[in-house]
Amino acid sequence: MDMLRLAKKLFPICRSITGNGQLETLETIKMQIPLNILEYETGEEYYDWKIPLEWNINGAYIQTESGEKIVDFKNSNLHVAGYSVPYEGTISFEELKKHIHFREDLPEAIPYVTYYHKSDWAFCMSKNQFDKLRRERYTVKIESSLTNGYLRIGEYLKKGKSKKEIWFSTYTCHPSLCNDNLSGIIAGVELVKYLESIGETKYSYRVLFLPETIGPIVYLNEHQNIIDNILGGYVLTHCGDKAPLTYKKSIAENHDIDNMLLRSLERLGKQYSVQPYLPLGSDERQYSSPRFNLAFGSLMRSSHTPKDISNPFQPDWKEYHTSLDNLDLLSIESLTEVIEVYIECIRNHELNAIYKGLYYGEPMLSKHGLYVDPTDDLETAKAVFYFQGFSNGTTSLWDIHDKTKVDINLLAEVASKFEACELVEIVD
Amino acid sequence: MDMLRLAKKLFPICRSITGNGQLETLETIKMQIPLNILEYETGEEYYDWKIPLEWNINGAYIQTESGEKIVDFKNSNLHVAGYSVPYEGTISFEELKKHIHFREDLPEAIPYVTYYHKSDWAFCMSKNQFDKLRRERYTVKIESSLTNGYLRIGEYLKKGKSKKEIWFSTYTCHPSLCNDNLSGIIAGVELVKYLESIGETKYSYRVLFLPETIGPIVYLNEHQNIIDNILGGYVLTHCGDKAPLTYKKSIAENHDIDNMLLRSLERLGKQYSVQPYLPLGSDERQYSSPRFNLAFGSLMRSSHTPKDISNPFQPDWKEYHTSLDNLDLLSIESLTEVIEVYIECIRNHELNAIYKGLYYGEPMLSKHGLYVDPTDDLETAKAVFYFQGFSNGTTSLWDIHDKTKVDINLLAEVASKFEACELVEIVD
Amino acid sequence: MDMLRLAKKLFPICRSITGNGQLETLETIKMQIPLNILEYETGEEYYDWKIPLEWNINGAYIQTESGEKIVDFKNSNLHVAGYSVPYEGTISFEELKKHIHFREDLPEAIPYVTYYHKSDWAFCMSKNQFDKLRRERYTVKIESSLTNGYLRIGEYLKKGKSKKEIWFSTYTCHPSLCNDNLSGIIAGVELVKYLESIGETKYSYRVLFLPETIGPIVYLNEHQNIIDNILGGYVLTHCGDKAPLTYKKSIAENHDIDNMLLRSLERLGKQYSVQPYLPLGSDERQYSSPRFNLAFGSLMRSSHTPKDISNPFQPDWKEYHTSLDNLDLLSIESLTEVIEVYIECIRNHELNAIYKGLYYGEPMLSKHGLYVDPTDDLETAKAVFYFQGFSNGTTSLWDIHDKTKVDINLLAEVASKFEACELVEIVD
């Protein structure tokens, strides 16, 4: 299925951190790529958190005295705040008003609101809709349920030669919102397709589709044994609007996670800006929290972080967390460009090996069939001499490239030949 | 007692590294602040040094043949070199001349001279006085004594939550000299008053009033067990003349001792210059000597170190170690400014904590009553998110402030709340 | 023997990595300086290499049908490729052509070629000579031999107070070539003369005269026990042409090996350029190979490394590895300047000590006879105070000099006095 068709298929589904919408999303993804769907029971505790009851909703409306349904869940799944408790009753305008969210500054937008951590209900509507409400009594119905069930996580793993893992993490808990985060989900699907299309890799790659915040917390808690193997990763989000590229650095700032992504942007000749790490945004907050302290970056178009960080909770793109973040905002061209950079980034990580020479003095190249006469093949001769001379267990292939300007792929090829001769070993 | 009255009271006292003048000085200080006066016996050895005999002096003069006392200790205690041995005799001008110090370049100034390490006597006078001496015989009398007794040190300690100590060290061995070092003594008194006025501190603070050089050597030798607890400190000296502010860095150069002092100057919007460490000046020489290697800085007005360091023994201020360094040179305004910076510096050290999060992933803030809605209180919400996200055991509150521009006091407040919830612990 | 006479004496000898020419060269050197000539048997294996058979040659020529010897080894020992196997026969021009090397781009130059690792023979001649060859049959004779024997290394060692060694390494395997590498051999001889002329040194110094590549491999394999003692060293090569000075840095880039050489250039007021390390050039390739990873720099006139490193195998000087690299290219003035810098460099290494004070607080200088009154001797007083205050086990005399501008020799003198008083100890 192409990216646009998948986006159109996933868009209408009412997702939350649990429930049928999230399951349907994961099953749709699973039709595209190999995916392991993991289930964790509601009520179970993970670190400081507990999985909430599973939330589902069949319908909801607000009806006037004259019987007109002025707000209906059928029209937009944003109309009901996520995790709203079931409710039925006829109430005054004043009472109803306490349960309504709208955006004063965006009169046409329905805001996206969740009630994960309170036991209440609410409707969301546009300012324009709200302004039309008369001072009368309204019949309100929310056909939702909160029941025992599961939190679900989609997991893809490509095992590489090394136990070291690079992660791509994206979240599947937002309802009909497009840049945030159908764009990330589609990027995740495309990266898995790429990983499936290539041969054995050096690193292991893990691509996760999970509900934001609680998803990584549950998954990390259940996979503590692999945390030491994680090199770092990227959070896939905000990949699809038309804004220029922005890279939000990892908490480690100059980690290979950052260096390889930035190198990819450079090698592809992209224009981009860079933002420092802040513990706001998406799931980098969990992965980089003090005890995990993992390096996670994120290549975005519009960023979570505004240019003016005096209010970092309000991104610069006005459509954020409203009904304006819809399919019209999605640019397949923009999304494709982000995926292209991540694919280049995987390639660059794969090339980013450190080798340690096992020889004392130079090896006798001709004895091992490794000697190349510069007059026959100048570039390969350089690659051979530079690789053997700099492979001291601390200098990566990229470092050698930076010192010598020799093509990185040629250095990698030469490295493989030395490895086959058991003259070097890779440093993990 | 206000600073000026204290200065006037202390100025006339004839201080030396031992003796009644030093004791009277410490007792005067003890009337202002809590002080522990420690005594160490003469003749005892400390590291490479031995406490010399206690020196006291009742009077001294030079009398002409006609009975005129042309130089009299009563007029200035600088007239007799410190530790001059007792002497009485009638001698020629030529003989007397060998026992006279004056300053060719400052005809009105009596120089300050000490004979700690030789057994001799000398008079100090102005060039003008010296020029008036005739080629006749003079009767000379020095009523001094060198006896067994004590070296005395005044010690103030405020115990904090941490065993880590910050020191303020000042010297009480100079006779009637004002900038050097009544200004430092008064600054020490004021800092103790401040420390007494505030509640429990994170750090422990130790303020020492001791004779230069031998004082720190004796005190450190007697307190070897606490040396590992010393974060570093400041030498209080040269605080009261009208020159601009100069900070002499610690030997460690970029130590918290330096960073917090420089930050204080910046936060108070002060103009200042910075000098590198040199093992000259005052007691930083002892604290920073190779085996202790402690970081001690010094905020001065006129510095010991001249701009032209080709002769670092001659400070740029001409009054140094002469009778010109008197109460006229002292500016209470200048002194107050130095004390103000040191107080800000104590505040900044107190704020300079590193916390380590005990949670995996983000803690569930609402469960702990720590969640703040950004629409209710934007600044506190930022402080909460940034503190929890950056408290990884290596990032200090100041570092978080520098990254995020969130108010340091707000960060400290949030930190205390997290600490009360046992979500973080302080890194010592 | 002066440098020029030695150069003229060594120039005509036909050297290779083994054989009589190399032995004659070492014996000639041994007449100038104390030298230990070590022998290693052919066929023995060292690390990844094996010592080849000993190669010797008595004569070789190409003769026309009319009996004219158009190429004769007697005229230039470059005419025969090193390690050419013995051969005698009458062959066609077409057959002969396969065994001829010339330089298209340098019609008057005979190239220098070796056949160490193939079993074949070849003649080298100028393009001009080649162009005169007619399509006729030629009688060819190479009177060479490949026999069991020895690889030989000349070794000089000056033992210092410390086991730490600084090496100078030069190669003796090139036939009648002058800048590469009679210049290095002569520099080695002069440095030994200097080392013999001075008293006991702090460091040990080892000067090696050996065949390139296999020489260091054999020697290091046989001296594994001392590798940990090697501070680093310098490869003596390309010291004698008229190009400006170029320093090729060690693989460690900011090692004392580099810092002391660069400091020497600065102190002598030399103009020079700096090149980064590349694992090409001469025996720095062996010393700095991954497992040894030793810091070896090289001060050259013309460098192995061209300015345009896209073809790093072709140095910028056209005479390289041809008959144009002869006595006319050698400038005794240039060579003298390189030796002068290396001698200054030895001096600077000798001064580059780190001392650790054994005292707590300042020592009582007068007690040890170390006190100097600044008014008597300002420079020594500064040296005393600065040395005692900065000798904390990590600050070298050069660091103290850089901080204080006090003369390095004066600091070294003061250091010796403190050492004699057992107040400091040297850090190895």
Side-chain angles (χ1 to χ4, degrees):
Chain A
M1 200 181 293
D2 72 18
M3 289 188 267
L4 188 58
R5 270 189 64 203
L6 181 60
K8 285 181 175 166
K9 179 150 190 179
L10 292 174
F11 184 71
I13 301 171
C14 179
R15 276 168 292 275
S16 185
I17 54 176
T18 61
N20 298 332
Q22 221 249 345
L23 178 57
E24 189 185 341
T25 300
L26 292 178
E27 281 173 347
T28 305
I29 294 169
K30 195 175 178 168
M31 287 161 63
Q32 307 293 314
I33 54 168
L35 196 74
N36 191 15
I37 299 180
L38 307 168
E39 299 193 322
Y40 303 94
E41 283 184 38
T42 56
E44 291 294 311
E45 296 193 355
Y46 292 91
Y47 294 131
D48 203 35
W49 300 70
K50 188 199 276 190
I51 297 181
L53 291 173
E54 196 173 317
W55 183 70
N56 282 295
I57 181 162
N58 284 324
Y61 58 81
I62 303 173
Q63 192 173 295
T64 62
E65 286 172 353
S66 61
E68 189 195 354
K69 286 191 179 164
I70 51 160
V71 168
D72 196 332
F73 177 75
K74 282 179 195 152
N75 298 328
S76 168
N77 57 39
L78 297 176
H79 272 320
V80 179
Y83 271 75
S84 281
V85 296
Y87 182 76
E88 185 162 11
T90 302
I91 55 176
S92 68
F93 169 76
E94 289 309 318
E95 186 60 27
L96 176 61
K97 219 174 107 176
K98 294 177 192 161
H99 294 272
I100 290 177
H101 295 270
F102 61 86
R103 283 276 294 264
E104 195 74 49
D105 57 329
L106 285 175
E108 299 185 28
I110 310 167
Y112 163 51
V113 176
T114 61
Y115 273 19
Y116 299 148
H117 306 306
K118 47 180 155 178
S119 183
D120 203 347
W121 58 268
F123 281 88
C124 304
M125 62 186 69
S126 72
K127 172 81 163 35
N128 291 344
Q129 280 176 300
F130 178 79
D131 287 344
K132 285 183 201 139
L133 294 186
R134 278 169 304 189
R135 271 63 186 158
E136 61 175 66
R137 290 183 72 78
Y138 292 92
T139 300
V140 168
K141 184 163 186 185
I142 298 181
E143 289 179 88
S144 67
S145 64
L146 286 152
T147 57
N148 288 326
Y150 298 96
L151 176 143
R152 294 179 184 88
I153 290 174
E155 171 199 62
Y156 166 81
L157 175 63
K158 179 183 177 84
K159 283 203 180 158
K161 282 182 235 172
S162 163
K163 288 198 303 185
K164 282 275 165 202
E165 298 193 3
I166 294 171
W167 285 27
F168 292 94
S169 177
T170 192
Y171 49 98
T172 54
C173 58
H174 282 30
S176 295
L177 297 172
C178 212
N179 194 35
D180 177 22
N181 191 29
L182 285 192
S183 73
I185 295 172
I186 293 166
V189 169
E190 292 300 310
L191 290 178
V192 172
K193 285 182 188 169
Y194 171 73
L195 289 166
E196 284 292 289
S197 77
I198 58 175
E200 194 186 8
T201 49
K202 188 181 74 171
Y203 287 110
S204 297
Y205 291 89
R206 200 175 286 258
V207 185
L208 297 174
F209 302 82
L210 31 64
E212 214 174 8
T213 305
I214 184 132
I217 283 167
V218 169
Y219 192 82
L220 287 166
N221 199 337
E222 286 282 329
H223 293 80
Q224 293 175 51
N225 58 319
I226 60 165
I227 290 174
D228 285 347
N229 296 334
I230 305 171
L231 180 81
Y234 304 93
V235 174
L236 304 174
T237 178
H238 290 34
C239 308
D241 67 295
K242 294 178 194 72
L245 292 164
T246 293
Y247 178 61
K248 181 184 170 184
K249 280 191 156 193
S250 83
I251 196 169
E253 288 179 11
N254 291 307
H255 196 274
D256 275 349
I257 284 296
D258 304 306
N259 298 338
M260 293 304 124
L261 195 291
L262 292 169
R263 198 178 274 278
S264 303
L265 287 162
E266 288 294 329
R267 283 170 71 83
L268 296 174
K270 300 295 180 192
Q271 295 284 318
Y272 62 93
S273 58
V274 175
Q275 291 184 330
Y277 180 82
L278 277 185
L280 291 172
S282 183
D283 283 332
E284 62 272 26
R285 288 160 52 180
Q286 308 311 321
Y287 297 119
S288 308
S289 64
R291 284 232 172 154
F292 300 132
N293 207 22
L294 295 166
F296 270 70
S298 190
L299 180 66
M300 293 174 276
R301 317 284 330 185
S302 289
S303 166
H304 286 97
T305 313
K307 279 196 186 61
D308 171 9
I309 65 157
S310 64
N311 182 356
F313 298 95
Q314 182 56 53
D316 282 335
W317 55 297
K318 70 173 199 296
E319 302 88 350
Y320 177 75
H321 276 200
T322 78
S323 57
L324 303 181
D325 180 9
N326 54 38
L327 286 166
D328 293 341
L329 197 71
L330 188 73
S331 157
I332 294 298
E333 201 181 339
S334 287
L335 179 51
T336 303
E337 196 181 21
V338 170
I339 294 164
E340 179 196 5
V341 177
Y342 276 127
I343 286 174
E344 175 70 16
C345 182
I346 292 171
R347 284 199 198 106
N348 288 339
H349 276 293
E350 288 293 312
L351 291 169
N352 189 38
I354 296 176
Y355 291 87
K356 190 183 165 68
L358 302 174
Y359 37 85
Y360 292 89
E362 291 181 341
M364 192 183 165
L365 296 171
S366 55
K367 195 172 95 179
H368 301 281
L370 292 168
Y371 181 76
V372 176
D373 189 324
T375 59
D376 292 341
D377 181 350
L378 179 60
E379 290 307 309
T380 306
K382 281 153 66 178
V384 166
F385 276 96
Y386 294 155
F387 174 76
Q388 68 82 8
F390 280 129
S391 289
N392 50 15
T394 58
T395 310
S396 73
L397 291 187
W398 280 114
D399 294 333
I400 300 175
H401 165 81
D402 290 346
K403 280 174 190 283
T404 66
K405 308 301 167 218
V406 170
D407 183 74
I408 184 73
N409 294 296
L410 195 53
L411 286 169
E413 234 175 74
V414 164
S416 297
K417 286 183 188 160
F418 272 67
E419 206 180 0
C421 294
E422 297 183 359
L423 283 170
V424 294
E425 66 186 18
I426 211 159
V427 176
D428 211 12
Chain B
M1 200 182 293
D2 72 18
M3 288 188 269
L4 189 57
R5 269 190 64 204
L6 182 58
K8 286 181 175 168
K9 179 151 187 175
L10 292 174
F11 184 71
I13 301 172
C14 178
R15 276 169 289 276
S16 184
I17 54 176
T18 61
N20 298 330
Q22 222 249 346
L23 177 58
E24 188 185 341
T25 300
L26 293 177
E27 283 173 346
T28 305
I29 295 169
K30 195 173 177 170
M31 287 163 61
Q32 309 290 318
I33 54 167
L35 195 74
N36 191 17
I37 299 180
L38 307 168
E39 299 194 323
Y40 303 93
E41 283 183 39
T42 54
E44 290 296 308
E45 296 193 355
Y46 292 90
Y47 295 132
D48 203 35
W49 300 70
K50 188 199 276 189
I51 298 181
L53 292 173
E54 194 173 319
W55 182 70
N56 282 295
I57 180 162
N58 285 324
Y61 58 81
I62 304 173
Q63 191 173 299
T64 61
E65 287 174 353
S66 62
E68 190 196 353
K69 287 191 179 164
I70 51 160
V71 167
D72 196 332
F73 177 74
K74 283 180 194 152
N75 298 326
S76 167
N77 56 40
L78 298 175
H79 273 319
V80 179
Y83 270 75
S84 281
V85 296
Y87 182 78
E88 185 164 8
T90 302
I91 55 176
S92 67
F93 169 76
E94 289 308 317
E95 187 60 27
L96 176 60
K97 217 174 110 177
K98 294 177 193 161
H99 295 271
I100 291 177
H101 295 269
F102 60 87
R103 283 275 293 265
E104 194 76 46
D105 57 331
L106 286 174
E108 298 185 28
I110 311 168
Y112 163 49
V113 176
T114 61
Y115 274 20
Y116 298 148
H117 306 306
K118 46 181 155 178
S119 185
D120 203 345
W121 58 269
F123 281 87
C124 304
M125 60 185 72
S126 70
K127 172 81 162 36
N128 292 343
Q129 280 177 300
F130 179 78
D131 288 344
K132 286 181 202 141
L133 294 186
R134 279 170 302 189
R135 271 61 186 159
E136 60 176 65
R137 290 184 71 80
Y138 290 92
T139 300
V140 168
K141 183 162 188 186
I142 298 180
E143 287 178 89
S144 66
S145 64
L146 287 152
T147 57
N148 288 325
Y150 299 97
L151 177 143
R152 295 182 183 86
I153 290 174
E155 170 198 64
Y156 167 82
L157 175 64
K158 179 184 177 83
K159 282 201 180 159
K161 283 183 234 170
S162 163
K163 288 198 303 186
K164 281 276 166 202
E165 301 193 1
I166 294 171
W167 285 26
F168 292 93
S169 178
T170 192
Y171 48 98
T172 54
C173 56
H174 282 31
S176 294
L177 297 173
C178 210
N179 192 37
D180 176 25
N181 187 33
L182 285 192
S183 73
I185 294 172
I186 294 168
V189 168
E190 293 299 310
L191 290 177
V192 171
K193 286 183 188 169
Y194 170 73
L195 288 166
E196 284 291 289
S197 76
I198 58 175
E200 195 186 8
T201 49
K202 189 181 73 171
Y203 287 109
S204 297
Y205 291 88
R206 201 175 286 259
V207 185
L208 297 174
F209 302 83
L210 32 64
E212 214 175 6
T213 305
I214 185 132
I217 282 167
V218 169
Y219 193 82
L220 287 166
N221 198 338
E222 285 283 327
H223 293 80
Q224 293 176 49
N225 57 318
I226 60 164
I227 289 175
D228 286 347
N229 296 335
I230 305 172
L231 180 81
Y234 304 93
V235 173
L236 304 173
T237 178
H238 289 35
C239 308
D241 67 295
K242 295 179 193 73
L245 292 164
T246 294
Y247 178 60
K248 181 185 171 184
K249 281 191 154 192
S250 82
I251 196 169
E253 288 180 11
N254 291 306
H255 196 274
D256 275 349
I257 284 295
D258 304 306
N259 298 338
M260 291 306 124
L261 196 291
L262 291 170
R263 197 178 275 278
S264 304
L265 287 163
E266 288 294 330
R267 283 170 70 83
L268 296 174
K270 300 296 182 192
Q271 296 284 320
Y272 61 94
S273 58
V274 175
Q275 291 184 329
Y277 180 81
L278 277 185
L280 290 172
S282 183
D283 283 332
E284 62 271 26
R285 288 159 52 179
Q286 308 311 320
Y287 298 119
S288 308
S289 63
R291 284 231 171 154
F292 300 132
N293 207 20
L294 295 165
F296 270 71
S298 190
L299 180 65
M300 292 174 274
R301 317 283 331 184
S302 288
S303 166
H304 286 96
T305 314
K307 279 194 187 62
D308 170 9
I309 63 158
S310 66
N311 182 357
F313 298 96
Q314 182 57 53
D316 282 336
W317 57 297
K318 70 173 196 299
E319 301 88 351
Y320 177 75
H321 277 198
T322 77
S323 56
L324 304 180
D325 180 9
N326 55 38
L327 285 165
D328 293 340
L329 196 73
L330 188 72
S331 155
I332 295 298
E333 201 181 340
S334 287
L335 179 53
T336 302
E337 195 181 23
V338 169
I339 294 164
E340 180 196 7
V341 177
Y342 276 128
I343 287 175
E344 174 70 18
C345 182
I346 292 171
R347 285 200 198 103
N348 288 339
H349 275 292
E350 287 293 311
L351 291 168
N352 189 37
I354 297 176
Y355 291 88
K356 188 183 167 70
L358 302 173
Y359 37 85
Y360 292 90
E362 290 181 343
M364 191 182 167
L365 295 172
S366 54
K367 198 173 91 178
H368 302 281
L370 291 170
Y371 181 76
V372 176
D373 190 323
T375 59
D376 292 342
D377 181 350
L378 179 59
E379 290 307 310
T380 306
K382 282 153 65 177
V384 167
F385 276 97
Y386 295 154
F387 174 75
Q388 69 81 10
F390 281 128
S391 290
N392 51 15
T394 58
T395 311
S396 73
L397 292 186
W398 279 114
D399 294 333
I400 300 176
H401 164 82
D402 289 346
K403 281 173 189 284
T404 67
K405 309 299 168 219
V406 169
D407 183 75
I408 184 73
N409 295 296
L410 197 53
L411 286 170
E413 238 174 71
V414 165
S416 296
K417 287 183 187 160
F418 271 67
E419 205 180 1
C421 293
E422 296 182 359
L423 283 170
V424 295
E425 63 184 22
I426 210 160
V427 175
D428 211 13
Chain C
M1 203 182 287
D2 73 19
M3 289 189 267
L4 187 59
R5 269 190 64 204
L6 181 57
K8 285 182 176 167
K9 178 152 188 176
L10 292 174
F11 184 71
I13 301 172
C14 179
R15 276 168 292 273
S16 184
I17 54 176
T18 60
N20 297 332
Q22 222 249 345
L23 178 58
E24 188 185 340
T25 299
L26 293 177
E27 283 174 346
T28 305
I29 294 169
K30 196 173 177 170
M31 287 162 63
Q32 307 291 316
I33 55 168
L35 195 75
N36 191 16
I37 300 179
L38 308 167
E39 299 194 324
Y40 303 94
E41 283 184 38
T42 56
E44 290 296 308
E45 296 193 356
Y46 293 91
Y47 293 133
D48 202 36
W49 300 69
K50 188 199 275 189
I51 298 181
L53 292 174
E54 196 172 318
W55 182 70
N56 282 295
I57 180 162
N58 285 323
Y61 58 80
I62 304 173
Q63 190 173 297
T64 61
E65 286 173 352
S66 64
E68 188 195 354
K69 287 189 180 167
I70 52 160
V71 168
D72 196 332
F73 178 75
K74 281 180 197 155
N75 298 327
S76 167
N77 57 39
L78 297 175
H79 273 318
V80 179
Y83 270 74
S84 280
V85 295
Y87 182 78
E88 185 163 9
T90 302
I91 55 178
S92 68
F93 170 76
E94 288 310 314
E95 187 58 28
L96 176 61
K97 216 173 112 177
K98 294 176 191 160
H99 295 271
I100 290 177
H101 295 271
F102 60 85
R103 282 278 293 269
E104 194 74 48
D105 58 330
L106 285 175
E108 298 186 28
I110 310 167
Y112 163 50
V113 176
T114 61
Y115 273 20
Y116 297 148
H117 305 307
K118 46 180 155 178
S119 183
D120 203 348
W121 58 269
F123 280 88
C124 304
M125 62 186 70
S126 70
K127 171 82 161 37
N128 292 342
Q129 280 177 299
F130 179 79
D131 288 344
K132 285 183 200 141
L133 294 185
R134 278 170 302 189
R135 271 64 185 156
E136 61 177 65
R137 291 184 71 79
Y138 290 93
T139 300
V140 167
K141 183 162 187 187
I142 298 181
E143 288 177 89
S144 67
S145 64
L146 286 153
T147 57
N148 288 324
Y150 298 97
L151 177 142
R152 294 180 183 86
I153 291 175
E155 171 198 62
Y156 167 82
L157 175 63
K158 180 184 175 84
K159 283 201 181 159
K161 282 183 234 170
S162 163
K163 286 199 305 187
K164 282 276 167 202
E165 299 192 2
I166 294 172
W167 285 25
F168 292 93
S169 178
T170 192
Y171 48 98
T172 52
C173 56
H174 282 31
S176 295
L177 297 173
C178 210
N179 193 36
D180 177 22
N181 189 34
L182 284 193
S183 73
I185 294 172
I186 293 167
V189 169
E190 292 299 311
L191 290 177
V192 172
K193 286 182 188 168
Y194 171 71
L195 289 166
E196 285 291 290
S197 77
I198 59 175
E200 195 185 7
T201 50
K202 189 181 72 170
Y203 287 110
S204 297
Y205 292 87
R206 202 175 284 259
V207 185
L208 297 175
F209 302 83
L210 31 62
E212 214 174 10
T213 307
I214 185 130
I217 283 168
V218 169
Y219 192 81
L220 287 166
N221 198 337
E222 286 283 329
H223 293 80
Q224 294 176 51
N225 58 319
I226 61 163
I227 289 174
D228 284 348
N229 296 336
I230 305 171
L231 180 82
Y234 303 93
V235 172
L236 304 173
T237 177
H238 288 34
C239 307
D241 66 296
K242 295 178 194 73
L245 291 165
T246 294
Y247 178 61
K248 180 183 173 185
K249 279 190 156 194
S250 83
I251 196 169
E253 288 179 11
N254 291 306
H255 196 275
D256 276 349
I257 285 295
D258 303 308
N259 297 338
M260 291 306 124
L261 196 290
L262 291 170
R263 198 177 273 280
S264 303
L265 286 162
E266 289 294 330
R267 283 170 72 82
L268 296 173
K270 299 298 182 190
Q271 296 285 318
Y272 61 94
S273 59
V274 175
Q275 292 184 329
Y277 180 81
L278 277 185
L280 292 171
S282 183
D283 283 332
E284 61 272 26
R285 290 159 54 179
Q286 308 312 321
Y287 297 118
S288 308
S289 63
R291 286 230 170 156
F292 300 131
N293 207 23
L294 295 166
F296 269 70
S298 191
L299 180 66
M300 293 174 275
R301 316 286 326 188
S302 290
S303 166
H304 287 96
T305 314
K307 280 197 186 60
D308 171 10
I309 65 158
S310 64
N311 182 355
F313 298 95
Q314 182 56 54
D316 282 336
W317 56 298
K318 69 173 199 297
E319 301 88 350
Y320 176 74
H321 276 199
T322 76
S323 56
L324 303 181
D325 180 9
N326 55 38
L327 285 167
D328 292 342
L329 196 72
L330 188 73
S331 155
I332 294 297
E333 199 181 341
S334 288
L335 178 53
T336 302
E337 196 180 23
V338 170
I339 294 163
E340 178 196 8
V341 177
Y342 276 127
I343 287 174
E344 175 69 16
C345 183
I346 292 171
R347 284 200 198 104
N348 288 340
H349 276 293
E350 288 293 311
L351 291 169
N352 189 39
I354 296 177
Y355 291 87
K356 189 183 167 68
L358 301 174
Y359 37 86
Y360 293 88
E362 290 181 341
M364 191 181 166
L365 295 172
S366 55
K367 196 173 93 179
H368 302 281
L370 293 169
Y371 181 76
V372 175
D373 190 322
T375 58
D376 292 341
D377 181 350
L378 179 58
E379 290 307 310
T380 306
K382 283 153 66 177
V384 166
F385 276 96
Y386 294 155
F387 174 75
Q388 69 82 8
F390 281 129
S391 290
N392 51 16
T394 58
T395 309
S396 72
L397 291 187
W398 280 114
D399 294 333
I400 300 175
H401 165 81
D402 289 347
K403 281 174 189 285
T404 67
K405 310 298 168 224
V406 170
D407 182 75
I408 184 73
N409 294 297
L410 196 52
L411 287 170
E413 235 174 72
V414 165
S416 297
K417 286 182 187 160
F418 271 68
E419 205 180 2
C421 294
E422 295 182 1
L423 284 169
V424 295
E425 64 185 21
I426 211 160
V427 176
D428 211 10

